[in-house]
Amino acid sequence: MRSEPAVTTLVPTMATVEAVRRELDDTVTLSLALSEPSLTPTPGQFAMLWAPGVGEVAISYSGVGDGSRVDHTIRDVGATTRALTTCEPGAELGSRGPFGRGWDLSRLPGRRLLIIAGGLGLAPLRPVVEAATAGTLGTSSAQLLVGARSPDAMLYRDEISTHWASLEPQLTVDHATDTWKGGVGPVTIALGSAIGDPATVEAIVCGPEIMMRVVARELMDRDVAPDAIQVSLERNMQCGVARCGHCQLGPLFTCVDGPVLRWDEAEPLLAVRER
Ligand SMILES: Cc1cc2nc3c(=O)[nH]c(=O)nc-3n(C[C@H](O)[C@H](O)[C@H](O)COP(=O)(O)OP(=O)(O)OC[C@H]3O[C@@H](n4cnc5c(N)ncnc54)[C@H](O)[C@@H]3O)c2cc1C
């Protein structure tokens, strides 16, 4: 039987928007100062962000801070994300969390880490990228592979070319422009040269489900083990604490048993239609 969630997981902590950084036409990063410190999130966890009077949505931490200051990178796709992405500095929001199972970083020491992102999937990976550039993960090596629809849809372009350059980023787009210097095609075109010895690889992958499926298939075709591939499943989540059942996939509640799962756990579940 599941343990009862603490009451505080159901009541939002108020947070002040300290800074708003525009990333893309439809995407911003909010830096939040929480009025009461929460547990420090681990990379890959998420919060339920509440836009008062509008709604509450699951949003990953794109910066894990120290529990009182966190970042979220948010794409405007509907009413609640519109309210969040149009916040000005000084605005008040609610935040519940951190929730869920993040990336399993305990597997990384001594391994070759491949961080593989598609589109907005780079947001939940950003704290891992930052730890990898800081050299705190204990990996033998690390590389970043990012795919996007087009150059102007590539998240964190400045950070990729400056602070993250030590991860030898391999960038690909579906539709290039005349000035584009990266690859053209799916992110998998960069995998062959990135893998090296497949027995040493740990891959963490985030993006649209179809992208994660194709990347996992390509990694396994190149002899990376399914349990050395981690993916993040973004199903419709409403309570965040395994009560409402919206995110249930087979026996798992992806809000508490995920969103990060190993590929051998995730693959059979992806055949289940979202509710
Ligand atoms: C664990 C988790 C982490 C997430 N992290 C982020 C993040 O870091 N940044 C971010 O911008 N978004 C993130 N999302 C997605 C975000 O929760 C949805 O975009 C949001 O719920 C949409 O709400 P809305 O009211 O703005 O739009 P709605 O009107 O509810 O939806 C607008 C459109 O978005 C689609 N949609 C709704 N929820 C999702 C979802 N979970 N995944 C894909 N499409 C969805 C709907 O089907 C609809 O087509 C995350 C979701 C989960 C479950």
Side-chain angles (χ1 to χ4, degrees):
M1 193 162 131
R2 289 173 191 279
S3 57
E4 282 297 313
V7 173
T8 49
T9 61
L10 301 174
V11 178
T13 297
M14 293 314 290
T16 305
V17 176
E18 288 207 316
V20 180
R21 186 172 89 168
R22 180 148 297 281
E23 306 285 0
L24 305 172
D25 284 349
D26 58 359
T27 306
V28 302
T29 296
L30 301 183
S31 298
L32 302 184
L34 300 177
S35 59
E36 293 167 41
S38 68
L39 293 174
T40 300
T42 61
Q45 287 191 300
F46 68 95
M48 296 300 299
L49 290 188
W50 174 49
V54 187
E56 193 186 47
V57 288
I59 301 289
S60 306
Y61 295 92
S62 61
V64 292
D66 58 4
S68 56
R69 285 193 158 64
V70 293
D71 292 339
H72 295 280
T73 300
I74 306 166
R75 173 170 292 161
D76 172 3
V77 297
T80 312
T81 48
R82 166 68 52 86
L84 294 170
T85 53
T86 52
C87 278
E88 304 277 348
E92 296 280 305
L93 305 175
S95 172
R96 295 191 290 126
F99 292 131
R101 191 169 88 168
W103 307 107
D104 184 356
L105 306 182
S106 71
R107 294 179 57 95
L108 302 185
R111 311 273 292 167
R112 170 157 176 72
L113 170 63
L114 298 183
I115 303 168
I116 307 171
L120 191 62
L122 188 51
L125 291 170
R126 185 168 174 250
V128 183
V129 172
E130 302 222 305
T133 55
T136 58
L137 297 174
T139 57
S140 57
S141 62
Q143 189 163 18
L144 175 65
L145 286 71
V146 185
R149 281 192 314 278
S150 59
D152 61 4
M154 178 129 339
L155 213 49
Y156 312 134
R157 282 286 292 280
D158 288 349
E159 282 159 292
I160 290 173
S161 60
T162 55
H163 306 312
W164 301 353
S166 62
L167 298 182
E168 299 172 36
Q170 295 286 316
L171 310 183
T172 59
V173 295
D174 300 335
H175 307 289
T177 53
D178 292 345
T179 54
W180 177 247
K181 298 209 169 22
V184 180
V187 70
T188 44
I189 62 175
L191 269 182
S193 57
I195 287 178
D197 175 1
T200 67
V201 166
E202 183 78 20
I204 61 175
V205 187
C206 192
E209 262 179 38
I210 179 70
M211 169 266 181
M212 295 193 289
R213 208 185 273 278
V214 170
V215 167
R217 174 61 47 206
E218 182 80 20
L219 287 164
M220 290 187 298
D221 284 350
R222 294 174 181 274
D223 296 327
V224 176
D227 66 356
I229 302 168
Q230 301 178 40
V231 296
S232 183
L233 300 187
E234 293 196 353
R235 291 296 168 120
N236 178 356
M237 292 180 191
Q238 296 197 359
C239 71
V241 289
R243 284 292 179 271
C244 73
H246 280 89
C247 69
Q248 187 168 3
L249 275 181
L252 301 189
F253 289 78
T254 54
C255 64
V256 296
D257 300 312
V260 174
L261 296 173
R262 296 190 321 265
W263 183 248
D264 56 317
E265 300 171 303
E267 187 178 25
L269 300 176
L270 290 178
V272 180
R273 186 193 290 268
E274 184 158 12
R275 296 210 271 167

